[in-house]
Amino acid sequence: MRSTAPSCQHRGGYWPRTVWKLGLPANQSDMQIRSGMGKFGQADICIWPRTLPHAIQHHLIAGERMASSETYSLFMATDVSCRILEIDPDLMLRTAGIAGQAGAGPDLRVSAEQYFAVWDTAAVLSSRADYVPFLGVAIARGPVIPVFFTLSCAPDMETGLLRLAQFKSLLGPTRMRVFQDGPLLRIEYDSADSRIPMPPSLGALQIVVMVEHVRGASAHHIRPVRAGFDGSEEERRQIAGHLGIMPDRSDVAFVAFSQDDAKRRFISENPSLWADVEEDLKLKLAAQNARMPIATRVRGALIDLIPMGRTGAEDVAAALQISRSTLQRRLRDEDTSYQAILDTTRREMAVRFLTKTSLRSDEIANVLAYSDANSFSRSFRRWTGKAPMAFREEATSDSD
């Protein structure tokens, strides 16, 4: 028998980006929970900044109806997932029926409907019957994906999940709701476009990724109290071994944790790194806003592209959906250049990783898309006059 999800609506998946564009705070401390009976007779739980005027709240609700006009990066599908599952990304696009886009690379942005079509091809093209749990664990343990710093830098699971919900759209056309369900902390996933349902297997993947992330961050084998998605018994059994429980068959993808686990301290907590990462994630959202200065949008795009090994001006132009010549012209109009922004972005990221993480020099070189540690070291000496490890030692001694 199917279990029915609690009748909750939560528009938190939309407001953070819009609020930030308006220059209003979009962090947890500025939120308040407002609950009551919604216009459809269901519990209506909304998270709003305390300072948000009623007129803007109304605008944000209306903005939900415009979700179908949004586009989303295929990076997680055509780059990360294809590499892990050993699928040809061009074949994935052709199989999904996205004509003329083969070879476009992970910079390609598509509608929610196209994104879900691409994801559905993974089941067809993957040679693994257990591709969902296999892929979920590999994503959580594998590539550096900046959005997931929302979890690893947090003091505990609940804080991290609330942060992640603000930036979920950077990973694809899905929403994430985090709320109290009696004694449990419940997380639900659904489509960002209410007219287009999210594939059940994508909901299952998000549950696996999240559970694996919180286990790593807490150094504890956290087991959910409940979970569910709209899959067959065989599909639910595929992730049951990883979760430690058999998921329900549910109309909505969800996972729920005890309060003890929700408040369990993360050993990976890093507030100073989070302060920088949060600004980066806001810049990544800004990169999608054509009204922002082009230099800001370029930096936001680079934060996304550099860890993918894509540092060319043509990569950024494709991500911003403009031509390379237009990109260069608009940067000249703002009295800057692509190379200057690339160097500044790499330098700031390098300093952050050297002073706020324990990553080795070769690991930082890899994240910053250098061919090797020596190339990174030469650039860092040019920027600062010091070798990377000497810079770290000096910064460490200064802070003691």
Side-chain angles (χ1 to χ4, degrees):
M1 180 178 294
R2 295 185 181 219
S3 65
T4 303
S7 54
C8 296
Q9 300 286 335
H10 171 230
R11 303 186 181 95
Y14 286 90
W15 72 260
R17 173 169 52 184
T18 311
V19 170
W20 183 76
K21 287 180 184 176
L22 292 168
L24 296 172
N27 54 56
Q28 183 185 352
S29 62
D30 291 304
M31 297 178 185
Q32 61 182 357
I33 302 272
R34 196 181 62 187
S35 62
M37 295 305 293
K39 60 182 178 181
F40 298 107
Q42 298 176 329
D44 188 10
I45 302 177
C46 308
I47 296 183
W48 302 114
R50 294 190 181 95
T51 55
L52 197 58
H54 177 75
I56 297 177
Q57 294 180 15
H58 177 77
H59 171 73
L60 297 182
I61 295 172
E64 186 168 342
R65 304 188 188 102
M66 299 171 61
S68 59
S69 65
E70 295 207 23
T71 59
Y72 304 88
S73 170
L74 273 178
F75 163 63
M76 290 296 294
T78 58
D79 189 78
V80 175
S81 298
C82 281
R83 281 191 287 118
I84 293 171
L85 296 176
E86 298 181 335
I87 295 173
D88 180 351
D90 289 346
L91 176 60
M92 175 179 266
L93 291 174
R94 290 196 300 271
T95 305
I98 303 181
Q101 300 294 346
D107 306 323
L108 179 63
R109 297 186 67 82
V110 296
S111 67
E113 184 175 18
Q114 291 173 315
Y115 188 101
F116 293 149
V118 169
W119 167 253
D120 279 335
T121 64
V124 177
L125 300 178
S126 176
S127 60
R128 303 187 64 103
D130 65 341
Y131 75 98
V132 168
F134 175 79
L135 179 61
V137 171
I139 288 174
R141 296 181 181 179
V144 176
I145 300 174
V147 174
F148 289 129
F149 280 119
T150 54
L151 276 174
S152 59
C153 291
D156 54 55
M157 181 199 300
E158 183 173 9
T159 302
L161 292 173
L162 284 168
R163 290 175 178 176
L164 178 58
Q166 297 183 38
F167 300 103
K168 193 69 172 60
S169 66
L170 293 172
L171 295 175
T174 58
R175 289 187 298 181
M176 175 178 168
R177 298 186 292 271
V178 181
F179 59 93
Q180 295 297 325
D181 181 17
L184 303 179
L185 179 71
R186 183 177 175 113
I187 301 92
E188 293 184 353
Y189 302 91
D190 65 10
S191 172
D193 187 335
S194 59
R195 304 178 308 166
I196 305 169
M198 178 180 67
S201 57
L202 183 55
L205 175 74
Q206 293 181 89
I207 292 170
V208 173
V209 171
M210 195 268 289
V211 169
E212 188 65 20
H213 266 296
V214 298
R215 285 173 176 171
S218 64
H220 186 81
H221 192 76
I222 292 175
R223 187 174 71 174
V225 176
R226 290 187 64 198
F229 67 100
D230 192 14
S232 67
E233 182 174 353
E234 180 182 355
E235 291 168 333
R236 287 179 286 124
R237 285 194 184 280
Q238 283 190 351
I239 72 169
H242 177 72
L243 300 183
I245 58 168
M246 179 65 175
D248 301 329
R249 188 164 191 183
S250 168
D251 292 332
V252 65
F254 78 95
V255 62
F257 299 91
S258 70
Q259 284 300 313
D260 286 344
D261 283 336
K263 298 298 184 183
R264 190 180 298 277
R265 302 298 296 183
F266 279 0
I267 64 170
S268 58
E269 178 184 6
N270 192 331
S272 60
L273 178 59
W274 167 243
D276 292 333
V277 169
E278 184 178 26
E279 291 305 310
D280 284 353
L281 295 177
K282 289 176 179 178
L283 280 172
K284 288 174 68 174
L285 290 176
Q288 302 173 12
N289 182 356
R291 297 179 181 179
M292 297 297 291
I294 192 65
T296 300
R297 297 184 67 203
V298 168
R299 188 174 186 279
L302 282 171
I303 290 166
D304 210 13
L305 294 171
I306 288 174
M308 297 160 51
R310 303 174 71 85
T311 60
E314 65 278 5
D315 298 317
V316 171
L320 300 183
Q321 299 180 307
I322 58 177
S323 69
R324 180 172 178 168
S325 59
T326 298
L327 171 66
Q328 293 172 329
R329 174 178 54 77
R330 292 178 62 184
L331 287 173
R332 285 195 300 270
D333 290 343
E334 294 184 10
D335 294 323
T336 188
S337 69
Y338 176 77
Q339 189 61 47
I341 297 174
L342 175 62
D343 284 346
T344 298
T345 304
R346 273 177 155 172
R347 182 179 69 247
E348 291 176 355
M349 293 174 72
V351 169
R352 177 188 310 160
F353 289 133
L354 286 168
T355 59
K356 298 180 180 181
T357 78
S358 58
L359 290 176
R360 302 187 309 270
S361 184
D362 62 313
E363 292 174 321
I364 297 173
N366 183 57
V367 173
L368 298 184
Y370 283 97
S371 57
D372 53 49
N374 288 333
S375 297
F376 164 57
S377 183
R378 285 194 296 272
S379 291
F380 196 81
R381 284 180 180 275
R382 175 166 54 85
W383 297 331
T384 67
K386 299 181 178 66
M389 291 302 104
F391 184 90
R392 169 177 280 169
E393 291 173 4
E394 183 176 312
T396 301
S397 63
D398 288 344
S399 63
D400 291 341

